[in-house]
Amino acid sequence: MATQAFQKIYTRITNITKATCMLHATGVGNDELATIDGKLAQVVRINEDEVTLQVFAGTEGIPTNAEVIFLGKAPALKVSDQLAGRFFNAYGEPIDGGPQLEGEDVEIGGPSVNPVRRDQPSELIATGIAGIDLNNTLVTGQKIPFFADPDQPFNEVMALVALRAESDKIILGGMGLTNDDYLYYKKTFSNAGALDRIVSFINTTEDPSVERLLIPDMALSAAEYFAVQKHEKVLVLLTDMTNYADALSIVSNRMDQIPSKDSMPGSLYSDLAKIYEKAVQFPDGGSITIIAVTTLSGGDITHAVPDNTGYITEGQLYLRRDSSIGKVIVDPFRSLSRLKQLVIGKKTREDHPQVMNAGVRLYADAANAQTKLENGFDLTDYDQRTLDFAKDYANDLLAIDVNLNTTEMLDHAWSLFAKYFTPAEVSIRQSLVDKYWPTDSKVDKA
């Protein structure tokens, strides 16, 4: 291997664990890359002249006299317009058979944006999924997780968001994807002709799990290029942050760090915040919005990963299988976008807030009616109508396969109100009823 003048070579390793090597070295920087016996590694701790290196592919087979070459740089990504439409691994190398990238090397994992350079988020980011856009509207610069059980189709949902979202660029960061999931994304994006605005960084289950730690920083470095230099509206999709946290846990355990709650490292909160705080709305129009899947183990929302995530992010989205229609829906009761009030009724139609509230209230009345039914109580006529409404509402507006714009969603919600209820039962401001209540309502509920 040819070495350059700035590279430092050492051949005495003092300690080897499952994932790390330690040696004495000087002039080495935090996060600097190195090769150990040809394997890529990264500096994770410096204590005076004692340096700990994390070996991405594991330390098996590395002797104590292995050649250690410090590369004088941290992990970096070549950024340019050539990123669009490409698939890369955790090191930013193409895995799609295309040419190598040309562009400026940018170190990944830099600091988040100074608060004084941020703008108040105020732009709608429509996903085309009614369960999100109608009840849990997202705003550019927002950070929000999808809490999902491992058996739910969250990768399909993320692919749908990537195809439908009204943004200039989509950056996908896949961590611990099965090969089937990876091929699903690739096939879906190619078939839809949407590759030209999507950049994908992929770590599969066949790759070293430690490499997952690089994926979010790679994705966000690409996002920052398009948002800062091109003033574009960028949506970053990260799946699955639980796999990312598991990789953190593996590394910390192998470095003999004392684990915190649920075997996670004590640094979990700051590790997650470092990623989520990259979400930003810039004054010049560029923005980074982050939607990240966090899978739940046995539906446990108190686990350290979702628990810490909830403190950092601005709401959460829940997937749930609705047994009455046999489809996966965005749960209107447990989902919440804390920033939706910044855009609903302002960037969307004036009736949006009241239609949203009325729909969820009537859906809640149906849940109460279902409880009465299951406990053997008689249903009133109103109870029966709420149950019928709930099926249509779930099927036509909450199901993840529904693709409507916000105006179509609102119009359809009004038609469902008119189909099952009187204006008084729906309880929306009279001026909005006069303007939007369907005039061809055929069912008489009086």
Side-chain angles (χ1 to χ4, degrees):
M1 175 187 285
T3 60
Q4 299 176 19
F6 62 76
Q7 292 177 326
K8 306 177 188 67
I9 304 176
Y10 297 84
T11 55
R12 184 178 296 172
I13 296 171
T14 58
N15 187 25
I16 299 176
T17 71
K18 288 181 182 177
T20 63
C21 294
M22 292 170 63
L23 68 155
H24 293 281
T26 56
V28 174
N30 271 319
D31 297 330
E32 185 173 331
L33 290 173
T35 59
I36 303 177
D37 213 22
K39 293 183 175 183
L40 194 63
Q42 184 179 17
V43 174
V44 290
R45 182 194 292 156
I46 301 175
N47 184 12
E48 295 181 350
D49 70 339
E50 188 177 68
V51 178
T52 303
L53 287 156
Q54 170 184 293
V55 185
F56 288 107
T59 58
E60 189 176 342
I62 293 178
T64 55
N65 64 346
E67 186 174 73
V68 182
I69 304 173
F70 288 94
L71 304 183
K73 63 176 185 176
L77 173 69
K78 288 190 183 297
V79 295
S80 71
D81 289 349
Q82 293 179 10
L83 286 166
R86 303 293 304 278
F87 283 81
F88 304 95
N89 65 12
Y91 306 114
E93 300 164 343
I95 55 172
D96 54 8
Q100 290 294 321
L101 279 182
E102 295 175 6
E104 175 193 355
D105 262 351
V106 173
E107 278 193 17
I108 67 171
S112 56
V113 177
N114 189 320
V116 300
R117 289 193 58 213
R118 295 170 179 250
D119 240 11
Q120 168 76 49
S122 60
E123 295 298 317
L124 168 74
I125 185 156
T127 64
I129 295 178
I132 299 174
D133 296 347
L134 182 63
N135 296 331
N136 303 285
T137 320
L138 303 185
V139 181
T140 55
Q142 186 168 0
K143 47 193 178 288
I144 194 164
F146 248 123
F147 290 145
D149 290 325
D151 61 345
Q152 289 177 331
F154 53 85
N155 282 315
E156 285 87 334
V157 177
M158 293 294 255
L160 289 174
V161 172
L163 295 179
R164 298 175 187 173
E166 293 175 7
S167 59
D168 299 311
K169 290 289 185 298
I170 305 285
I171 315 290
L172 172 68
M175 292 159 277
L177 295 182
T178 65
N179 265 326
D180 286 346
D181 289 334
Y182 165 47
L183 294 173
Y184 171 80
Y185 277 115
K186 198 169 184 181
K187 181 180 177 182
T188 303
F189 294 165
S190 298
N191 290 350
L195 275 178
D196 59 336
R197 67 188 188 102
I198 300 175
V199 185
S200 302
F201 296 89
I202 303 294
N203 160 273
T204 70
T205 51
E206 295 182 2
D207 300 322
S209 60
V210 176
E211 291 180 2
R212 295 170 197 168
L213 303 183
L214 297 174
I215 292 284
D217 287 337
M218 282 286 173
L220 290 162
S221 293
E224 284 169 338
Y225 167 74
F226 290 111
V228 175
Q229 298 194 31
K230 300 294 181 178
H231 312 302
E232 290 186 342
K233 195 175 178 180
V234 183
L235 177 59
V236 178
L237 305 175
L238 301 174
T239 175
D240 161 10
M241 291 302 289
T242 299
N243 287 340
Y244 170 84
D246 287 343
L248 283 175
S249 176
I250 289 168
V251 172
S252 66
N253 289 341
R254 286 177 177 173
M255 290 172 65
D256 296 324
Q257 293 177 357
I258 298 171
S260 185
K261 184 173 182 280
D262 298 316
S263 302
M264 288 293 149
S267 62
L268 179 65
Y269 182 92
S270 55
D271 290 328
L272 293 173
K274 179 179 66 118
I275 294 168
Y276 284 113
E277 292 302 336
K278 292 292 185 83
V280 59
Q281 171 73 58
F282 291 107
D284 59 16
S287 65
I288 298 173
T289 307
I290 299 175
I291 304 178
V293 169
T294 297
T295 50
L296 306 175
S297 176
D300 183 11
I301 199 66
T302 66
H303 186 280
V305 180
D307 189 31
N308 280 278
T309 300
Y311 282 106
I312 299 164
T313 54
E314 294 143 347
Q316 69 279 327
L317 300 168
Y318 276 91
L319 295 180
R320 170 170 69 82
R321 181 165 293 279
D322 188 309
S323 56
S324 67
I325 61 168
K327 289 184 179 181
V328 174
I329 66 169
V330 180
D331 190 336
F333 298 144
R334 302 180 75 192
S335 301
L336 170 68
S337 167
R338 292 197 181 100
L339 302 185
K340 63 185 174 187
Q341 70 275 7
L342 298 174
V343 292
I344 62 170
K346 301 179 178 74
K347 302 291 180 175
T348 60
R349 209 166 68 187
E350 59 179 336
D351 55 324
H352 189 164
Q354 295 224 355
V355 169
M356 174 190 72
N357 290 336
V360 174
R361 179 176 54 77
L362 293 166
Y363 193 66
D365 286 348
N368 291 334
Q370 184 65 31
T371 302
K372 287 171 67 176
L373 184 65
E374 289 167 358
N375 285 286
F377 291 98
D378 291 336
L379 298 185
T380 66
D381 172 59
Y382 176 78
D383 288 336
Q384 188 57 56
R385 284 188 278 122
T386 60
L387 288 173
D388 294 339
F389 162 80
K391 283 185 183 177
D392 281 355
Y393 181 66
N395 189 68
D396 299 356
L397 289 171
L398 300 181
I400 58 173
D401 60 354
V402 176
N403 183 11
L404 302 170
N405 64 40
T406 49
T407 301
E408 291 169 336
M409 293 171 201
L410 292 168
D411 287 343
H412 193 70
W414 279 108
S415 71
L416 291 181
F417 296 159
K419 181 177 178 183
Y420 293 108
F421 305 107
T422 65
E425 288 170 329
V426 175
S427 191
I428 289 179
R429 194 187 314 138
Q430 189 59 45
S431 60
L432 295 176
V433 171
D434 293 342
K435 190 170 181 180
Y436 296 107
W437 193 269
T439 55
D440 58 350
S441 174
K442 297 182 178 63
V443 182
D444 180 14
K445 275 78 56 182

